[in-house]
Coordinates of all heavy atoms in Angstrom, one line a residue:
Chain Z
F83 N 116.5 118.5 113.4 CA 117.3 119.4 114.1 C 117.6 118.8 115.5 O 118.8 118.8 115.9 CB 116.5 120.7 114.3 CG 117.4 121.9 114.7 CD1 118.0 122.7 113.7 CD2 117.6 122.2 116.0 CE1 118.8 123.7 114.0 CE2 118.4 123.3 116.4 CZ 119.0 124.0 115.4
I156 N 108.9 97.1 115.5 CA 110.0 96.3 115.2 C 111.0 96.3 116.4 O 111.6 95.3 116.7 CB 110.7 96.9 114.0 CG1 109.8 96.9 112.8 CG2 112.0 96.2 113.7 CD1 110.3 97.6 111.5
R182 N 78.1 120.2 110.3 CA 78.6 119.9 109.0 C 80.1 120.1 108.9 O 80.6 121.3 108.7 CB 77.8 120.7 107.9 CG 76.3 120.3 107.9 CD 75.5 120.9 106.9 NE 76.2 121.2 105.7 CZ 76.5 122.5 105.3 NH1 76.1 123.5 106.0 NH2 77.1 122.7 104.2
L210 N 77.0 111.6 113.0 CA 77.2 112.5 111.9 C 78.2 111.8 110.9 O 78.8 110.8 111.2 CB 77.9 113.8 112.3 CG 77.1 114.6 113.4 CD1 78.0 115.7 113.9 CD2 75.8 115.2 112.8
R221 N 99.9 116.2 96.2 CA 100.9 117.2 96.3 C 101.3 117.4 97.7 O 100.5 117.1 98.6 CB 100.4 118.6 95.8 CG 100.3 118.7 94.3 CD 99.4 119.9 93.9 NE 99.9 121.1 94.5 CZ 99.2 122.3 94.5 NH1 98.0 122.3 93.8 NH2 99.6 123.3 95.0
T235 N 86.0 123.7 96.9 CA 84.8 123.4 97.8 C 83.8 124.5 97.7 O 82.6 124.3 97.6 CB 85.3 123.2 99.2 OG1 86.3 122.2 99.2 CG2 84.1 122.8 100.1
M257 N 92.0 129.5 105.3 CA 91.6 130.7 106.0 C 91.7 131.9 105.1 O 90.8 132.8 105.0 CB 92.4 130.9 107.3 CG 92.0 130.0 108.4 SD 92.3 130.7 110.0 CE 94.1 131.0 110.0
I271 N 82.7 130.2 109.3 CA 83.2 128.9 109.2 C 84.4 128.7 110.2 O 85.2 129.6 110.3 CB 83.7 128.6 107.7 CG1 84.2 127.1 107.6 CG2 84.8 129.6 107.3 CD1 84.4 126.7 106.1
C284 N 100.2 133.2 115.7 CA 100.2 134.6 115.3 C 99.5 134.9 114.0 O 99.5 136.0 113.5 CB 101.7 135.1 115.2 SG 102.5 134.4 113.8
D323 N 104.5 106.8 124.2 CA 103.5 107.7 123.7 C 103.7 109.1 124.1 O 103.6 109.4 125.3 CB 102.1 107.2 124.2 CG 101.0 108.0 123.5 OD1 101.2 109.0 122.9 OD2 99.8 107.5 123.7

Side-chain angles (χ1 to χ4, degrees):
Chain Z
F83 197 88
I156 296 173
R182 296 185 31 250
L210 305 168
R221 282 166 53 189
T235 305
M257 287 207 300
I271 185 168
C284 72
D323 184 351

